[in-house]
Amino acid sequence: MCRWLAYSGSPLLLDTILYKPAHSLIDQSLHSRLGVETTNGDGFGVGWYTPDAEDGTPAVVRDVGPAWNNRNLREIAGHVSSPLFFAHIRASTGTAVQQTNSHPFRHGRWMWMHNGAIAGFPVIRRDLCLAVDPTLFTSIEGSTDSEVMFYLALTFGLRDDPPQAVARMAGFVERTAREHGVAHPLQMTVATTDGAAVWAFRYASEGTARSLFYSSRIQALQALHPDVAFLRDLSEETRLVVSEPLGELPGAWNEVPEHSYGVVRHGADELHPFAPVP
Amino acid sequence: MCRWLAYSGSPLLLDTILYKPAHSLIDQSLHSRLGVETTNGDGFGVGWYTPDAEDGTPAVVRDVGPAWNNRNLREIAGHVSSPLFFAHIRASTGTAVQQTNSHPFRHGRWMWMHNGAIAGFPVIRRDLCLAVDPTLFTSIEGSTDSEVMFYLALTFGLRDDPPQAVARMAGFVERTAREHGVAHPLQMTVATTDGAAVWAFRYASEGTARSLFYSSRIQALQALHPDVAFLRDLSEETRLVVSEPLGELPGAWNEVPEHSYGVVRHGADELHPFAPVP
Amino acid sequence: MCRWLAYSGSPLLLDTILYKPAHSLIDQSLHSRLGVETTNGDGFGVGWYTPDAEDGTPAVVRDVGPAWNNRNLREIAGHVSSPLFFAHIRASTGTAVQQTNSHPFRHGRWMWMHNGAIAGFPVIRRDLCLAVDPTLFTSIEGSTDSEVMFYLALTFGLRDDPPQAVARMAGFVERTAREHGVAHPLQMTVATTDGAAVWAFRYASEGTARSLFYSSRIQALQALHPDVAFLRDLSEETRLVVSEPLGELPGAWNEVPEHSYGVVRHGADELHPFAPVP
Amino acid sequence: MCRWLAYSGSPLLLDTILYKPAHSLIDQSLHSRLGVETTNGDGFGVGWYTPDAEDGTPAVVRDVGPAWNNRNLREIAGHVSSPLFFAHIRASTGTAVQQTNSHPFRHGRWMWMHNGAIAGFPVIRRDLCLAVDPTLFTSIEGSTDSEVMFYLALTFGLRDDPPQAVARMAGFVERTAREHGVAHPLQMTVATTDGAAVWAFRYASEGTARSLFYSSRIQALQALHPDVAFLRDLSEETRLVVSEPLGELPGAWNEVPEHSYGVVRHGADELHPFAPVP
């Protein structure tokens, strides 16, 4: 399993979110509280959008060691600002620890990151891969379930209708697994973005889904905590979606309901129910 | 492209072959003479059989940096003896530099390494992967053509009849490529072993195949060079197959003819013509 | 802080000790019970003696990632046997995570590994380095206190009288620290070996020293546990010294008293009090 | 030996300089033409200044593999713009390949990178280290001559008068080496910067110094090559200093005379003779 966060809002130095909070993602790499594993030391990644890039693609820097001792991540976080970035720390469930298995994954302008697992993935991996659009197949570089989920979602129309594409992906995974005798295969919190909006999903085929939280509206937080300097500089549009809260600020964090997804974008954010499309 | 060597014979410290020759594989990692690239710095691997292993599998140590500056490789080479080992240095033709893309590949007691490429691999990768036995498919961890060739050969009976399985693999690759408009896809020198025998193949769909050499019979070399101390300790059965000669000893190296394969095993070694099975 | 183990006795595949015990060193890399940190993921190393090495030096393989996900360590451990080996997992106290900071350190036939720290090391590092024999100074490759302690011990006669040299090293560190206002600088469990004997030290300038245990005599364990197959194959001379017990076998583990050192060698092992030489 | 470049001028995406030129630094990592070695694959680093950083320090990203296959470097280069950056590719002369031995080195706002070597460094390393200001000594993390040269220059006043400090460093190295019987120890091209100006030095104790070039004035180049689009966007103040030319543009490159140094800063750049201060 893993931990991740998605940030969208006022341009910020990455370390404001990645390192400075009391229970930052870097702290979670050593001491996760809500994850299945306490240690998430099997690679990490950060992806950020910047007006400097000519083609609108995000930069994606991924590596194989733990985040907590990685000096390059700290350098980047202390010197790069972005209005929209993803960060992910990995705890492998068995697949190789290699750069191409670290999240976020990227395709064109799109990024994707995942916490969870597909039960029985070794058994159904081939069938899932066969369902990927042949023109996309050769872009698969790693061996994780997460990357195959991304390419299935792209195959099912992620770039046109993300909630529908993710619902079809989830439905396809469940049906394929069932055909192989795995009744309840899917555990997932997923975030995806095109650089403008962020979609975040929380779902489990059975039982409690992995934890997921979103930050409260900045105006409400500013009213609650007029003394917290950090909040004053953030625009109303600023929003975080995280595997677990980055700190203890009262009123700051709200659990994403199970079987639902949220959309963070310019204008009013949204929260909707989520169900796989069979 | 890449460089490789296969050793079979009297148990030797690996560094006798890997580091000590004038134009050793480590030297070739910086200054290959016959390779398509002079630098082979995109990962390396060594695999060796040892009586210490309970299950007869070889140890396979692979890493992502250049061989020439890797201290762990030097440590292992200076402290491990083996009667049969493979070593490989990689020059990536574009696929990721990651441990699961470094050679040799292993499946049970079998190892496989490759120099060359499949032209048009991104286009036909999916069709090749689909032809892999479904029970083997999920063991594919990397993204190279070389690993897919290995799993195709396993699918086609490598464990029962290696020359036949490699011929079927080559024929299948050529046919699949042709269906996608690539007339002459295959360039390969391949070595494979089960720990008892070594099979080495040299083949190109068109033009000159990558270089491949085998060492002369030790008795003949001992007669030619009675003053070379190193040769005195080697058994008659000792044989090397290499991408390029490790030095200039007159009479030591013989080119493997194009479109042929050799077998190194206890008793008389063999050399046969090789042709893909369409 | 860190965790380590030293094995001496019947030649064993390394994984018998490194991976198979319930609370093996690999398990401790994720879930240490007695360490200052629960996670020891900042590099690792293993050093082993083998009759194959011409010059009597041990092989030392060290790397920078966590031990728990390192495939090369698993390969080596499953295919290499040794009658005497060291293994170490690191939790950095701030110095760089790099190969030259991973333990064990080696000088000629000698190895050294350490758990603990020198309080105020940044302040006294220079004075400690200056006290290293000038002919040894240039062999220092990393930036840890542990390596400087090793070179001080070598300077003070480690190769002639290890307990005396370590006592002088400890005394020198304490005096130097005191001169810089650090009253109680030293926390250490140290193991060192020349390939024939192993010396293990447990000491703290103040308070409780880091945990250290040694295994009971094999004959006694065999009598207590006649049904444990693993024990039957071990010679009487077999002994383990470990930062924390590898399992729960009753009667198997004994705490090394604080301020003491043990010697494991052919013939009767020894346990003595330890005090720094001022 | 190594290759490096220093850029100062109009803010540019790093890959404009690092990847796009015909004989870019990345190309030089595989195929250097003027270097002592053709391959520079023992680590790399890039350091850049950005208005985003609160404290004026540059970001320094360094790694241990070759630059040519590093995906994170390519990501950063394609998404980060800077008005002043350093880049370096390393060919180790024997010291460990580790992050702390990769250039550029940083101290506060200052960066430093070096091509060349100190002959006899293992012998005089200790004496050089002893001359480093004790308050700076503990910041030395690696084992290269280059980093010690940086800390000696800092000791001798780099932050106040760079040319004088480098001259005193060079003089001190030469004197110390001579005392140990090395008559002509120093080969160096060095670049250093505080984020506002860049100083570049070319010097050898004897014989020809390592190659060093600076780019012509942009106005002159624009007049010579009115059709080169790339040049049109660059400000008059833009200047490159490089180990070897990045391409064949006529009139673009000028050799830095031996035993001299240049200063690139706002306003007129300068070129002066350089001589060690004995």
Side-chain angles (χ1 to χ4, degrees):
Chain A
M1 311 306 160
C2 315
R3 305 278 83 185
W4 57 254
L5 71 76
Y7 175 87
S8 173
S10 304
L12 274 188
L13 268 184
L14 306 190
D15 75 356
T16 313
I17 301 298
L18 291 186
Y19 285 86
K20 292 191 175 159
H23 187 50
S24 71
L25 199 71
I26 302 305
D27 183 57
Q28 293 175 32
S29 69
L30 267 174
H31 305 295
S32 164
R33 293 171 192 165
L34 304 180
V36 174
E37 288 89 11
T38 55
T39 309
N40 295 275
D42 298 325
F44 66 87
V46 61
W48 71 91
Y49 294 89
T50 163
D52 286 335
E54 290 155 7
D55 56 1
T57 62
V60 176
V61 168
R62 303 185 290 177
D63 215 330
V64 296
W68 70 74
N69 68 27
N70 194 283
R71 294 186 171 193
N72 288 339
L73 179 61
R74 188 177 281 273
E75 291 291 315
I76 290 166
H79 292 85
V80 166
S81 285
S82 172
L84 199 168
F85 58 91
F86 276 15
H88 186 278
I89 52 176
R90 185 169 181 238
S92 168
T93 51
T95 44
V97 176
Q98 57 191 20
Q99 195 175 25
T100 57
N101 282 352
S102 290
H103 310 220
F105 303 98
R106 178 182 59 195
H107 189 81
R109 299 173 60 102
W110 287 78
M111 290 201 292
W112 175 277
M113 60 185 174
H114 170 230
N115 170 35
I118 298 176
F121 180 63
V123 176
I124 65 169
R125 181 183 172 202
R126 185 172 179 273
D127 285 0
L128 298 184
C129 286
L130 296 201
V132 170
D133 184 311
T135 65
L136 292 170
F137 179 86
T138 206
S139 298
I140 299 178
E141 291 196 295
S143 55
T144 61
D145 49 4
S146 308
E147 189 188 22
V148 174
M149 291 163 70
F150 180 30
Y151 279 94
L152 283 172
L154 285 163
T155 299
F156 292 140
L158 182 68
R159 285 163 287 193
D160 299 320
D161 184 344
Q164 174 71 7
V166 173
R168 287 184 61 196
M169 177 276 290
F172 180 78
V173 168
E174 291 190 332
R175 195 186 72 200
T176 307
R178 231 174 280 127
E179 289 167 6
H180 286 81
V182 180
H184 306 292
L186 203 54
Q187 259 291 1
M188 71 173 209
T189 67
V190 159
T192 189
T193 180
D194 61 356
V198 174
W199 292 263
F201 301 83
R202 185 182 185 205
Y203 177 73
S205 300
E206 184 188 36
T208 309
R210 298 285 179 272
S211 60
L212 196 64
F213 296 82
Y214 62 97
S215 61
S216 301
R217 288 189 57 225
I218 292 298
Q219 278 184 308
L221 281 172
Q222 287 165 338
L224 263 172
H225 304 283
D227 50 325
V228 177
F230 163 70
L231 293 170
R232 263 173 249 148
D233 301 330
L234 295 179
S235 75
E236 282 180 43
E237 300 274 355
T238 299
R239 184 83 75 182
L240 269 162
V241 186
V242 299
S243 289
E244 51 188 273
L246 307 184
E248 315 278 358
L249 194 68
W253 301 103
N254 316 278
E255 196 169 8
V256 174
E258 301 209 34
H259 297 202
S260 59
Y261 73 93
V263 192
V264 178
R265 61 156 61 95
H266 199 74
D269 296 343
E270 302 163 25
L271 195 57
H272 301 284
F274 175 81
V277 170
Chain B
M1 311 306 160
C2 316
R3 305 278 83 185
W4 57 253
L5 70 77
Y7 174 88
S8 173
S10 303
L12 274 189
L13 271 184
L14 306 190
D15 74 357
T16 313
I17 301 299
L18 290 185
Y19 286 85
K20 291 191 176 160
H23 188 49
S24 72
L25 200 71
I26 302 307
D27 183 56
Q28 293 175 32
S29 70
L30 268 172
H31 305 295
S32 164
R33 294 170 193 166
L34 304 181
V36 174
E37 288 90 11
T38 55
T39 308
N40 295 276
D42 298 326
F44 66 87
V46 60
W48 71 90
Y49 294 89
T50 163
D52 287 337
E54 290 156 6
D55 56 1
T57 61
V60 177
V61 168
R62 302 184 290 177
D63 215 330
V64 296
W68 71 74
N69 68 25
N70 194 282
R71 293 187 173 193
N72 288 339
L73 179 60
R74 187 178 281 274
E75 290 291 316
I76 290 166
H79 293 84
V80 166
S81 285
S82 171
L84 200 168
F85 58 92
F86 277 14
H88 186 278
I89 51 177
R90 185 169 179 240
S92 169
T93 50
T95 44
V97 176
Q98 56 190 19
Q99 194 176 25
T100 56
N101 283 352
S102 290
H103 309 218
F105 303 99
R106 179 182 58 196
H107 189 81
R109 300 173 61 99
W110 287 78
M111 291 201 292
W112 175 277
M113 59 185 173
H114 170 230
N115 170 34
I118 298 176
F121 180 64
V123 176
I124 64 169
R125 181 183 172 201
R126 185 173 180 271
D127 284 0
L128 298 185
C129 285
L130 296 201
V132 171
D133 184 311
T135 64
L136 292 171
F137 179 86
T138 206
S139 298
I140 298 177
E141 291 196 295
S143 54
T144 60
D145 49 5
S146 307
E147 189 187 22
V148 175
M149 289 163 71
F150 180 30
Y151 279 95
L152 283 172
L154 285 164
T155 299
F156 292 140
L158 183 69
R159 286 163 287 194
D160 299 320
D161 184 345
Q164 174 71 7
V166 174
R168 289 183 59 195
M169 177 277 288
F172 182 77
V173 168
E174 291 191 332
R175 196 185 73 203
T176 307
R178 231 173 280 127
E179 289 167 6
H180 286 80
V182 180
H184 305 293
L186 203 54
Q187 257 291 3
M188 70 174 210
T189 66
V190 159
T192 189
T193 180
D194 59 357
V198 174
W199 292 262
F201 301 81
R202 183 179 186 209
Y203 176 73
S205 300
E206 184 187 36
T208 308
R210 297 285 180 273
S211 60
L212 195 65
F213 296 82
Y214 62 97
S215 61
S216 300
R217 287 189 58 224
I218 291 298
Q219 276 182 309
L221 281 173
Q222 287 166 336
L224 263 172
H225 304 284
D227 50 324
V228 176
F230 164 68
L231 292 170
R232 263 173 248 149
D233 301 331
L234 296 179
S235 75
E236 283 178 44
E237 300 274 353
T238 299
R239 184 82 76 182
L240 271 161
V241 187
V242 299
S243 290
E244 53 188 272
L246 308 184
E248 314 279 358
L249 195 67
W253 301 102
N254 316 276
E255 197 169 7
V256 175
E258 299 209 34
H259 299 201
S260 59
Y261 73 92
V263 193
V264 178
R265 62 155 61 94
H266 199 74
D269 295 344
E270 300 163 28
L271 195 58
H272 300 284
F274 175 81
V277 172
Chain C
M1 311 306 161
C2 313
R3 304 278 83 185
W4 57 253
L5 71 76
Y7 174 87
S8 173
S10 303
L12 274 187
L13 270 183
L14 306 189
D15 75 355
T16 313
I17 301 299
L18 290 186
Y19 286 86
K20 292 192 174 159
H23 188 50
S24 70
L25 199 71
I26 302 306
D27 183 58
Q28 293 174 31
S29 70
L30 268 172
H31 306 294
S32 164
R33 293 170 192 166
L34 305 181
V36 174
E37 288 90 11
T38 56
T39 308
N40 295 275
D42 298 327
F44 67 86
V46 59
W48 71 89
Y49 294 88
T50 164
D52 286 336
E54 289 155 8
D55 56 1
T57 61
V60 177
V61 168
R62 304 184 289 176
D63 215 331
V64 295
W68 70 75
N69 68 26
N70 193 284
R71 293 185 173 195
N72 288 339
L73 179 60
R74 188 178 281 274
E75 290 291 315
I76 290 166
H79 293 83
V80 166
S81 286
S82 171
L84 199 168
F85 58 90
F86 277 15
H88 187 278
I89 52 177
R90 185 169 180 239
S92 168
T93 50
T95 44
V97 176
Q98 58 191 20
Q99 194 176 24
T100 55
N101 283 352
S102 290
H103 310 218
F105 303 99
R106 177 183 59 196
H107 189 82
R109 300 173 59 103
W110 287 79
M111 293 202 291
W112 174 278
M113 59 186 175
H114 169 231
N115 170 35
I118 298 176
F121 180 64
V123 177
I124 65 169
R125 181 184 171 201
R126 185 173 179 272
D127 284 0
L128 298 185
C129 286
L130 296 202
V132 171
D133 184 313
T135 64
L136 292 172
F137 179 86
T138 206
S139 298
I140 298 177
E141 291 197 294
S143 55
T144 61
D145 49 4
S146 307
E147 189 187 22
V148 174
M149 290 163 71
F150 180 30
Y151 279 94
L152 283 172
L154 284 164
T155 300
F156 293 140
L158 182 69
R159 286 163 287 192
D160 299 320
D161 184 345
Q164 175 69 7
V166 173
R168 288 184 60 196
M169 177 276 290
F172 180 77
V173 168
E174 290 191 332
R175 195 185 73 201
T176 307
R178 230 172 281 128
E179 289 167 5
H180 286 81
V182 180
H184 306 293
L186 203 54
Q187 257 291 2
M188 72 173 208
T189 67
V190 159
T192 190
T193 180
D194 60 358
V198 174
W199 292 262
F201 301 82
R202 185 181 184 206
Y203 176 73
S205 299
E206 184 188 37
T208 308
R210 298 286 180 270
S211 60
L212 195 64
F213 296 83
Y214 62 98
S215 61
S216 300
R217 287 189 58 226
I218 292 297
Q219 277 184 309
L221 281 173
Q222 287 166 337
L224 262 173
H225 303 284
D227 51 323
V228 177
F230 163 69
L231 293 170
R232 265 174 247 148
D233 300 331
L234 296 179
S235 75
E236 281 180 44
E237 299 274 353
T238 300
R239 185 83 75 181
L240 270 161
V241 186
V242 299
S243 289
E244 52 187 274
L246 307 185
E248 313 278 359
L249 194 69
W253 301 103
N254 315 278
E255 196 168 8
V256 174
E258 300 209 33
H259 298 203
S260 60
Y261 73 93
V263 192
V264 177
R265 62 154 62 97
H266 200 75
D269 295 344
E270 300 164 27
L271 195 57
H272 300 284
F274 174 81
V277 171
Chain D
M1 311 306 163
C2 315
R3 305 278 83 185
W4 58 253
L5 70 76
Y7 174 88
S8 173
S10 303
L12 274 189
L13 270 184
L14 306 191
D15 73 357
T16 313
I17 301 298
L18 290 186
Y19 286 86
K20 292 191 176 160
H23 188 51
S24 71
L25 199 70
I26 302 306
D27 183 56
Q28 292 174 32
S29 70
L30 268 173
H31 305 295
S32 164
R33 293 171 193 164
L34 304 181
V36 174
E37 287 90 12
T38 55
T39 309
N40 295 276
D42 298 325
F44 67 87
V46 60
W48 71 89
Y49 293 88
T50 164
D52 287 336
E54 290 156 6
D55 55 1
T57 61
V60 177
V61 168
R62 303 183 289 175
D63 215 330
V64 295
W68 70 75
N69 68 26
N70 194 283
R71 293 185 172 195
N72 288 338
L73 179 60
R74 187 178 281 273
E75 290 291 315
I76 290 166
H79 293 84
V80 166
S81 285
S82 172
L84 199 167
F85 58 91
F86 276 14
H88 187 278
I89 51 176
R90 185 169 181 240
S92 168
T93 50
T95 45
V97 176
Q98 57 191 20
Q99 193 175 26
T100 56
N101 283 352
S102 290
H103 311 217
F105 303 98
R106 178 182 59 197
H107 189 81
R109 302 172 59 99
W110 287 78
M111 291 201 291
W112 175 277
M113 58 186 173
H114 170 232
N115 170 34
I118 298 176
F121 180 63
V123 176
I124 64 171
R125 181 183 173 200
R126 183 173 181 271
D127 283 1
L128 298 185
C129 285
L130 296 202
V132 171
D133 184 311
T135 65
L136 292 171
F137 179 86
T138 205
S139 298
I140 299 178
E141 291 196 296
S143 54
T144 60
D145 48 5
S146 308
E147 189 187 23
V148 174
M149 289 163 71
F150 181 29
Y151 279 94
L152 283 173
L154 284 163
T155 299
F156 292 140
L158 183 70
R159 286 163 288 195
D160 299 319
D161 184 345
Q164 173 70 8
V166 174
R168 288 184 60 197
M169 177 276 289
F172 182 76
V173 168
E174 291 191 332
R175 194 185 75 202
T176 307
R178 229 173 282 127
E179 289 168 7
H180 286 80
V182 180
H184 306 293
L186 203 55
Q187 257 292 1
M188 74 173 206
T189 68
V190 158
T192 189
T193 180
D194 60 356
V198 174
W199 293 262
F201 301 82
R202 184 179 184 207
Y203 177 73
S205 301
E206 184 188 36
T208 309
R210 297 285 179 273
S211 60
L212 195 64
F213 296 83
Y214 63 97
S215 60
S216 300
R217 287 189 58 225
I218 291 297
Q219 278 183 306
L221 281 172
Q222 287 165 336
L224 261 173
H225 305 282
D227 50 325
V228 177
F230 163 70
L231 292 171
R232 265 174 248 147
D233 301 331
L234 296 180
S235 75
E236 281 179 46
E237 299 274 355
T238 299
R239 184 82 76 181
L240 271 160
V241 186
V242 299
S243 290
E244 51 188 275
L246 307 184
E248 314 279 358
L249 195 67
W253 301 102
N254 315 277
E255 196 169 8
V256 174
E258 300 209 34
H259 297 202
S260 60
Y261 73 94
V263 192
V264 178
R265 62 155 61 94
H266 200 74
D269 296 344
E270 301 163 26
L271 194 58
H272 300 284
F274 175 81
V277 171

